[in-house]
Amino acid sequence: AQDAGQSWTRGILAAEAMPLSELIETLGRYRHGYLGYAPDVADLSVMGTFPLGDTDQSLQLLEAALPVRVRRLTEWWVSIEPA
């Protein structure tokens, strides 16, 4: 927990076996507009570090690591779906 807190103060979200739903809800606090997810991917387990200052990069990392795709309807409406 201490390492996670220190990461957060540096603008990094550290995830260890975190549900994707929790990660997306946290990232959503750091970007404008809607950031959602399909129920089918909500329980996927996520491990890694994700930059809070660049949520688009965080979403790219998720797309590379998990069987998900990032769907952008507009700059302000983004959702995570099964790949």
Side-chain angles (χ1 to χ4, degrees):
Q2 184 177 9
D3 288 341
Q6 290 174 352
S7 296
W8 179 79
T9 60
R10 294 190 315 266
I12 296 174
L13 174 61
E16 185 171 333
M18 178 184 287
L20 180 63
S21 60
E22 185 178 333
L23 180 77
I24 295 302
E25 289 169 11
T26 302
L27 289 176
R29 294 183 206 129
Y30 292 89
R31 66 182 287 130
H32 297 289
Y34 172 80
L35 178 59
Y37 53 88
D40 296 347
V41 299
D43 294 328
L44 291 174
S45 184
V46 179
M47 292 187 81
T49 56
F50 301 89
L52 295 171
D54 187 349
T55 56
D56 287 325
Q57 182 183 7
S58 293
L59 296 174
Q60 288 175 352
L61 292 169
L62 287 174
E63 204 168 27
L66 296 173
V68 298
R69 99 180 161 109
V70 177
R71 185 170 179 220
R72 289 177 171 82
L73 295 176
T74 70
E75 179 182 343
W76 305 98
W77 190 277
V78 179
S79 61
I80 311 303
E81 303 174 344

